[in-house]
Amino acid sequence: MASLLRNTNPLVSPLLTDKYQFTMAYAYWKGKRHQDHATFDLFYRRNPFKGSFAQFAGLDEILRFMSSFKITNDDLDFLKKDMSQCDPGYFKWLKNLDCSEVTIHAHKEGNIVFPKEPLVRVDGPLGILQLLETPFLNLTNYATLMTTNARRMRIAAGQDKTLLEFGCRRAQGPDGALSASRYSYIGGFDASSHVLAGKMFGIPIKGTHAHSWVSSMKDTSEINVRNLTYFKNGQKKEIDFVDFVLENQKKLGWTATNKGELAAFIDYALAFPTYFLGLVDTYDTLSSGIPNFLIVAYSLYQLGYLPIGVRLDSGKLSTLSRKTRKMFQDFAKKTSTPHFAKLKIVASNDINEGVLYDLKKEGSEIDIYGIGTHLVTCQAQPALGAVFKLVEINDEPRIKLSNSFGKITVPGKKNSYRLFGKNGQAITDVMTLFDEQPPQAHKQYTCCDFFDSHKKISVIPSKVEPLLQKVWDHKLIHKLPHVKEIKEFGDSQAQKFDPKLFQRKDPISYPVTLSSKLYEKMHQLWDEALAPQIFD
């Protein structure tokens, strides 16, 4: 899983790879082919989650990996023992190896992407490129899958809801937890509960308390610090907040609630009077949790503080949220406090994409979702399946054939463009040969289906957007963007497409096509490789 500890993590090493990368690199070196000029494409074959799109991520980590690429003496000692049959000159070559002869073109991180098209194109000496395969795939496979999962949940929840990533404790180890926090944020989530992710990436972090906080107290006698500071008419004052709350409890008539829960809410409010949000389902949500919260929240309000809301973590969330909202509205009317009608309702408890759609359909009153397990583990699909394939060597295109049409590669060094229609929405992505004339805005252009020359799309694009931008030219050539910039770019991309592309049920497909010249080249190589015999 993608590492996010930057250059300080020993996992972000050239040894973060499969052994066959080093055995192939040795064979290239031994055969004096390691300096042959090659081009590899990184792409995926099928859209994840039975959808019609993915959202590309992981480029930042690729570029950081490239910047720190160095096979250390310690690495070499290990490799020499493991590959003792190899010529010692190979290890001397490895010792001096870096990425100074490599060029990378890639989609902008956060872009909406589709199967078959190159997300990353890598050019350079064959030996070093072979060693980059596994690290590149490790750094993009989970990142893109996770970002796509988050984006789908953002679409399901709607733009008016707040989404919080709660998955640190359920992620696959500390590295997976960091990756999940970063890429859920890029994919449309607003914040995370993960403190280290907040420190490392500048992601907003949120959190209040757990059930253990509520169940830790029996009654108000266990509250050690009772006074609360507040301001009245510009003057700083103090009040025994415990007594103040208990007086309000009598006035409001809610005296049959759980005493320990009320004490826990009071104690938490004393610690966080400006950010009071209560977890209300430790005992009974409607008969104890909500009343106890309102008693404390109302007391804070009378002293000039604005309470935030409640969190629901069990039960039928849709029903409970509507009943909670009704209690808030009734309380606001009874006490002439309009703020209380709009208190926030947070929901957690095993939420996934389908649950988000159901809650919306059922008219829930939830404002904020905390999502953990189903988000960070990508339970609906555990892997993206991106691949890194050789497509050209020494200016000669290469093709990989297969009994499965989906595994046939598109040969040659390529460019990729996004074509837009008159309404401003993208209508197709087209791949072209590297050296051919690109599509032009306001000029007719014909695109071909991968396998059927009779299936063509003829368009007059209103705009043509190059998709592969140079990001590494023997070294890093641009300052890496902050994660917030990547997120903002990612958040803006869905509006470029037909909304039906993003719907959960029966999404429309988006065509990825070939230029006529690329189609001809592909099928020429296919014929030369005796492809018709494969499919007899």
Side-chain angles (χ1 to χ4, degrees):
M1 193 169 287
S3 173
L4 289 156
L5 296 182
R6 307 295 170 130
N7 301 335
T8 61
N9 190 340
L11 295 181
V12 185
S13 153
L15 270 59
L16 178 68
T17 192
D18 299 297
K19 183 176 178 179
Y20 79 172
Q21 309 294 7
F22 278 103
T23 59
M24 282 189 285
Y26 176 70
Y28 289 140
W29 179 85
K30 188 72 173 175
K32 301 187 185 305
R33 298 175 58 206
H34 59 292
Q35 285 299 116
D36 287 2
H37 191 273
T39 300
F40 283 78
D41 284 350
L42 189 156
F43 61 94
Y44 71 99
R45 296 183 174 122
R46 289 180 295 277
N47 285 312
F49 308 113
K50 299 180 181 180
S52 286
F53 76 98
Q55 190 162 18
F56 173 55
L59 180 61
D60 177 279
E61 290 200 84
I62 283 178
L63 296 175
R64 293 181 187 278
F65 170 75
M66 295 284 287
S67 297
S68 62
F69 186 96
K70 178 65 178 176
I71 298 177
T72 66
N73 289 332
D74 187 56
D75 294 338
L76 288 169
D77 289 343
F78 172 79
L79 291 171
K80 287 175 184 178
K81 290 179 183 178
D82 186 72
M83 303 177 71
S84 58
Q85 73 277 23
C86 294
D87 188 315
Y90 173 58
F91 302 106
K92 292 181 181 178
W93 173 70
L94 287 177
K95 182 176 182 178
N96 296 316
L97 197 60
D98 60 26
C99 298
S100 62
E101 296 182 75
V102 177
T103 303
I104 299 177
H105 291 73
H107 275 257
K108 192 170 181 179
E109 187 161 9
N111 211 1
I112 300 298
V113 293
F114 304 96
K116 287 288 189 181
E117 64 185 5
L119 310 182
V120 181
R121 189 186 80 218
V122 193
D123 300 283
L126 180 58
I128 178 64
L129 296 198
Q130 193 65 67
L131 292 175
L132 296 179
E133 175 181 2
T134 299
F136 275 32
L137 290 173
N138 178 270
L139 295 171
T140 55
N141 256 312
Y142 177 73
T144 299
L145 184 74
M146 178 69 225
T147 304
T148 306
N149 195 27
R151 180 61 56 190
R152 292 180 65 88
M153 290 187 181
R154 163 53 68 195
I155 292 167
Q159 296 301 317
D160 60 328
K161 305 299 182 183
T162 298
L163 297 181
L164 308 177
E165 177 266 310
F166 278 6
C168 183
R169 64 184 61 193
R170 304 289 169 81
Q172 288 93 335
D175 206 41
L178 281 168
S179 295
S181 298
R182 178 182 177 88
Y183 294 116
S184 62
Y185 185 64
I186 291 174
F189 274 57
D190 298 287
S192 170
S193 65
H194 191 172
V195 178
L196 183 56
K199 176 187 176 183
M200 289 179 61
F201 309 130
I203 296 171
I205 54 174
K206 301 288 184 181
T208 53
H209 64 82
H211 294 103
S212 58
W213 173 267
V214 177
S215 61
S216 69
M217 304 190 79
K218 289 184 177 181
D219 56 46
T220 55
S221 67
E222 297 178 330
I223 299 175
N224 296 320
V225 179
R226 301 169 63 94
N227 286 354
L228 178 65
T229 300
Y230 69 102
F231 290 86
K232 184 175 182 180
N233 298 324
Q235 298 294 313
K236 185 177 179 180
K237 296 180 177 294
E238 280 195 1
I239 191 172
D240 186 318
F241 188 64
V242 179
D243 287 345
F244 187 61
V245 171
L246 295 177
E247 290 172 9
N248 275 327
Q249 182 187 27
K250 293 177 182 177
K251 292 176 182 177
L252 294 168
W254 282 326
T255 57
T257 58
N258 184 280
K259 294 180 180 179
E261 181 180 57
L262 179 61
F265 286 171
I266 294 172
D267 209 22
Y268 194 79
L270 282 163
F272 294 98
T274 61
Y275 192 79
F276 178 56
L277 189 148
L279 177 60
V280 293
D281 69 331
T282 303
Y283 301 111
D284 186 284
T285 299
L286 299 178
S287 65
S288 182
I290 299 298
N292 275 335
F293 165 79
L294 285 172
I295 293 165
V296 178
Y298 181 61
S299 301
L300 285 173
Y301 184 82
Q302 289 179 306
L303 299 175
Y305 295 103
L306 293 178
I308 305 298
V310 299
R311 177 160 73 95
L312 308 172
D313 192 49
S314 61
K316 187 169 175 54
L317 297 177
S318 178
T319 301
L320 283 174
S321 70
R322 291 195 299 272
K323 290 183 177 180
T324 297
R325 180 65 67 201
K326 180 66 165 55
M327 292 179 72
F328 286 170
Q329 291 170 341
D330 290 346
F331 186 85
K333 186 176 181 180
K334 176 182 177 181
T335 58
S336 299
T337 52
H339 174 77
F340 279 71
K342 299 178 181 180
L343 288 170
K344 301 297 183 183
I345 299 175
V346 184
S348 43
N349 186 33
D350 223 22
I351 294 171
N352 58 31
E353 182 184 350
V355 170
L356 290 170
Y357 277 108
D358 289 342
L359 289 169
K360 183 189 295 184
K361 183 179 179 181
E362 293 165 5
S364 83
E365 287 288 337
I366 297 166
D367 303 292
I368 303 169
Y369 292 99
I371 308 177
T373 304
H374 290 278
L375 173 65
V376 303
T377 64
C378 296
Q379 283 191 345
Q381 180 175 325
L384 177 65
V387 293
F388 188 85
K389 297 297 181 183
L390 177 71
V391 295
E392 186 171 288
I393 188 163
N394 294 329
D395 298 322
E396 293 184 3
R398 292 290 191 265
I399 188 170
K400 177 190 177 295
L401 299 176
S402 172
N403 288 312
S404 170
F405 279 104
K407 289 192 173 183
I408 296 174
T409 60
V410 181
K413 186 175 180 178
K414 298 175 288 294
N415 284 321
S416 187
Y417 302 91
R418 184 157 291 164
L419 277 54
F420 292 82
K422 291 181 180 180
N423 62 358
Q425 291 183 346
I427 51 179
T428 186
D429 286 5
V430 59
M431 287 181 271
T432 73
L433 293 171
F434 175 74
D435 57 358
E436 74 171 288
Q437 181 71 19
Q440 300 293 311
H442 311 298
K443 291 185 178 180
Q444 187 166 330
Y445 191 83
T446 301
C447 314
C448 299
D449 181 84
F450 277 74
F451 302 111
D452 189 345
S453 62
H454 299 292
K455 292 182 180 179
K456 296 184 177 180
I457 300 174
S458 185
V459 298
I460 301 177
S462 64
K463 184 176 73 169
V464 176
E465 181 180 285
L467 294 175
L468 296 175
Q469 305 292 329
K470 185 181 287 187
V471 294
W472 180 276
D473 192 2
H474 310 301
K475 62 180 181 179
L476 187 64
I477 58 176
H478 300 299
K479 180 182 177 182
L480 292 175
H482 189 274
V483 66
K484 186 177 181 181
E485 296 175 57
I486 301 172
K487 171 185 171 57
E488 289 171 350
F489 174 77
D491 288 345
S492 71
Q493 294 310 294
Q495 64 189 21
K496 294 182 177 181
F497 297 87
D498 187 328
K500 294 178 182 177
L501 180 74
F502 304 103
Q503 62 192 22
R504 187 169 188 240
K505 185 177 180 181
D506 300 324
I508 62 172
S509 60
Y510 181 83
V512 176
T513 56
L514 309 178
S515 70
S516 297
K517 289 185 177 181
L518 180 55
Y519 177 89
E520 291 170 4
K521 175 60 70 173
M522 177 177 176
H523 285 267
Q524 175 192 339
L525 292 170
W526 188 339
D527 292 339
E528 291 173 358
L530 302 179
Q533 294 185 16
I534 295 176
F535 297 102
D536 285 346

